[in-house]
């Protein structure tokens, strides 16, 4: 019975031991993940340098040479020890807490190789002896770390080629030092031999000095990946002896990698080594006025896992070692954040909304089935303009539109500088945004200077330091670099101006035309030739052409136009009298041109008047008008204001034309013109504003060119309607039949679709750029 109980207890203890062992093993498993892994040396040295007359205490490791760099000679002492060295080091600049041990190592020998001391050492430690020992006093600030402590006693007989080592080792604990505290060392010798000796220093094998064991340095390596996935690397060389204590560095960006476990120093395939840095791209002032070394990747990083592999050399460490401090910073570049609502949702909402509306209308009256087929085709065609609508996202900037209006303080100036000031008498403004300490600040400077020499137009350059918490002191170094070549502005503390640009509050170059519209931008920087080309394009309409409406006709942007262009008459009606050849085309061209001009002319005038600073509110108003047009078309089948204009234009036509093309048909073409304007705006919102209004602000020739551009766009919009009607007409009588069957319901269905398009854009503008600018 007792044996059975004992066996049970033994089994229970074994189980508990197994569980405990398993638990302990699980706790000891290393957890991998993002963060910084640092390998820092625990020994830190200060060496004797200089000459016997002017000794020095310095951090740099003695060079590899066969002859000592300095020495202090001594002869037989009589009674009291002989003073050899009294030296003070440079005051430290960082607070320091000493915990560990201190070792003082002194290399000494006879001046020439001789056995005389050993031969005459009759009674060591007595007047008949011939030994040597050193006495050391080491102070740091107000603390005496070593006080008259004797080293080991040695009978010397070698030269400097095989010098003897004299050593003092003491522990230290909680010795708190502050900036300005200096290290002082006094060395004296008790030498009882008649043969003179020397204390040696300054050579690789005889490096007399002080060694501290413990944590004395605290380097910091950080990275920030901005909204454009460009990574900025910051290294803060924190050492009691200042940033120059870190003499060299090699930094590599490696990735994307499969997992964090594989992220170790020196690991990574050749094609994964994306960037290699040595000399810093730039410097900035960090916390406590510390110097921060910065680098920036030249390109955006793809989403994935990355490491920053850092190798740093210290002045006081063995130069034969490749790395004294190893830093591996693991981080992840994430996918671009998802919007609150993707623009693809509106492409789903329109067909579903139209189908739901058709279902509700069937309760009141049934139309021929072909009419419903036309509406379904129209709903599908409406997906074309819908897929180009922006997402609905909080505080997101308007990617195609005017630059945000700003007034910012100028560094070193007497006041502030606004976008309006920069645009005055300028054909374009080149904005360079950078985060303080970014390498792109200097890159932009070089590109701006070269671009200025290439551009013949009046162009304003400006740089804006952005980022949360940007300070005036952060701009000092770069202000000295540009030396007043252009304004250097400081963003608000919350980086509101930077966030309002398409690039976000990050490094970027942005081209703004004369009317205040963003024509082009690039993360990081632009080359000088790219800046010159972008400025030239901005002065000529930013690449927009009078053929853009016709080009869009063959894409998805104007797909609904082909359904809307179906004629209302089942049969073609000949005119009662002979008219000019092509009169039908001319009438359609006139009516559609009028409809397009009702939209395009006010937009051109507002852009030419320099209202770019208020353009986001103009676009909000346009989205409201589009929604209104959609609602009125849904409820009434037509837009009353467009009908009124159509009647006025129709009434002044010759009698023959009015009798042949009645006011309803004429108004249909005017409506098509206005719908072409809205569809083009949804796809290319800056076509008229930049192509006409911005060009008009570049001078007298610009005004003439912009007038030609406006007339060309009106003509092209009218031709787009003519081509759409012609394509529908040449396909045979079926489109006419379908058009006449759906003449009442087709505009209403399109009104619903356009109301959804306008409402989506309105919400996107309010939630994004409007709220972001408040």
């Amino acid at each position: 019975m007792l044996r059975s109980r004992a066996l049970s207890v033994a089994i229970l203890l074994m189980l508990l031991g197994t569980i405990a062992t398993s638990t302990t093993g699980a706790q000891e498993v290393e957890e991998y993940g993002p963060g910084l892994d640092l390998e820092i040396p625990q020994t830190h040295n200060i060496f004797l340098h200089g000459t016997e007359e002017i000794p020095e205490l310095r951090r740099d490791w003695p060079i590899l040479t066969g002859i000592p760099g300095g020495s202090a000679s001594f002869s037989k002492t009589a009674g009291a020890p002989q003073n050899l060295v009294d030296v003070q080091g440079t005051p430290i600049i960082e607070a320091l807490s000493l915990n560990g041990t201190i070792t003082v190592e002194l290399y000494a020998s006879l001046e020439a190789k001789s056995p005389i001391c050993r031969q005459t050492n009759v009674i060591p430690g007595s007047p008949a002896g011939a030994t040597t020992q050193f006495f050391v006093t080491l102070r740091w600030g107000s603390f005496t770390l070593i006080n008259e402590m004797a080293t080991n006693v040695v009978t010397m007989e070698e030269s400097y080629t095989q010098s003897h080592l004299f050593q003092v080792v003491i522990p230290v604990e909680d010795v708190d030092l502050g900036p300005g505290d200096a290290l002082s060392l006094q060395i004296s010798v008790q030498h009882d031999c008649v043969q003179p000796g020397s204390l040696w220093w300054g050579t690789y094998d005889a490096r007399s000095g002080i060694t501290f064991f413990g944590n004395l340095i605290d380097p910091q390596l950080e990275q920030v990946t901005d909204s454009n996935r460009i990574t900025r690397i910051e290294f803060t060389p924190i050492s009691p002896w200042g940033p120059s204590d870190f003499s060299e560095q090699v930094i590599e960006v490696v990735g994307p990698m499969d997992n964090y476990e594989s992220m170790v120093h020196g690991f990574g395939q050749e094609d994964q080594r994306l960037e290699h840095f040595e000399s810093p791209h730039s410097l900035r002032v960090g916390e406590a006025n510390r110097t921060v070394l910065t680098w920036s990747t030249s390109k955006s990083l793809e989403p994935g896992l990355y490491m920053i592999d850092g190798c740093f050399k210290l002045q006081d460490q063995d130069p034969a070692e490749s790395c004294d401090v190893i830093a591996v910073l693991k981080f992840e570049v994430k996918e671009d954040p998802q919007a609150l609502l993707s623009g693809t949702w509106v492409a789903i909402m329109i067909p579903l909304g139209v189908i739901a509306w058709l279902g509700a209308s069937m309760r009141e009256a049934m139309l021929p089935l072909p009419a419903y087929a036309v509406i379904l085709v129209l709903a599908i065609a409406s997906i074309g303009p819908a897929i180009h609508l922006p997402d609905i996202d909080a505080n997101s900037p308007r990617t195609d539109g005017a630059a945000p209006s700003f007034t910012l303080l100028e560094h070193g100036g007497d006041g502030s500088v606004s976008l309006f000031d920069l645009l005055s008498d300028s054909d374009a403004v080149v904005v360079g945004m950078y985060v303080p300490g970014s390498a792109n600040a200097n890159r932009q400077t070089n590109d701006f200077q070269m671009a200025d020499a290439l551009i013949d137009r009046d162009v304003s350059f400006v740089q804006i330091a952005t980022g949360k918490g940007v300070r005036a002191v952060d701009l000092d170094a770069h202000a000295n670099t540009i030396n007043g070549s252009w304004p250097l502005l400081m963003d608000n503390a919350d980086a509101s101006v930077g966030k309002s640009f398409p690039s976000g509050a990050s490094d970027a170059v942005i081209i703004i035309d004369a009317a205040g519209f963003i024509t082009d931008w690039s993360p990081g920087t632009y080359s000088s030739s790219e800046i010159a080309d972008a400025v030239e394009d901005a002065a000529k309409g930013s690449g927009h052409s009078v053929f853009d409406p016709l080009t869009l006709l063959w894409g998805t942007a104007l797909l609904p136009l082909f359904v809307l262009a179906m004629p209302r008459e089942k049969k073609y009606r000949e005119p009662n009298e002979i008219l000019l050849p092509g009169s039908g085309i001319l009438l359609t061209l006139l009516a559609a041109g009028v409809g397009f001009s009702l939209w395009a002319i006010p937009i051109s005038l507002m852009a030419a008047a320099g209202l770019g600073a208020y353009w986001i509110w103009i676009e909000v108003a346009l989205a409201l008008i589009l929604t209104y047009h959609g609602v009125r078309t849904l409820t009434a089948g037509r837009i009353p204001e467009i009908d009124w204009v159509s009647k006025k234009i129709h009434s002044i036509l010759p009698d023959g034309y009015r009798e042949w093309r009645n006011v309803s048909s004429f108004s249909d073409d005017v409506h098509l013109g206005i719908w072409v304007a809205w569809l083009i705006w949804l796809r290319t919102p800056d076509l008229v504003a930049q192509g006409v209004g911005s060009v008009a602000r570049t001078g007298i020739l610009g005004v003439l060119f912009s007038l030609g551009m406006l007339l060309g766009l009106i003509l092209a919009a009218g031709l787009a309607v003519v081509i759409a009607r012609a394509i529908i007409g040449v396909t045979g009588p079926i489109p006419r039949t379908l058009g006449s069957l759906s003449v009442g319901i087709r505009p209403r269905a399109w009104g619903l679709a356009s109301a959804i398009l306008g409402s989506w854009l309105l919400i996107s503008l309010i939630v994004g750029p409007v709220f972001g600018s408040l």
Side-chain angles (χ1 to χ4, degrees), residues 69-120:
S71 63
S73 300
F74 51 87
S75 57
K76 181 177 177 63
T77 56
Q82 177 186 347
N83 293 326
L84 286 182
V85 175
D86 190 348
V87 60
Q88 182 168 323
T90 304
I92 61 174
I93 63 175
E94 290 274 357
L96 173 65
S97 180
L98 285 177
N99 289 278
T101 61
I102 298 177
T103 301
V104 177
E105 294 182 339
L106 304 175
Y107 290 86
S109 71
L110 299 179
E111 290 188 345
K113 187 173 183 179
S114 171
I116 189 171
C117 292
R118 177 173 52 81
Q119 294 172 350
T120 58

Side-chain angles (χ1 to χ4, degrees), residues 26 94 213 242 289 310 318 340 403 537 677 690 712 771:
E94 290 274 357
F213 294 86
N289 290 326
D318 190 342
L340 296 176
D537 287 343
Q690 289 183 344
F771 282 176

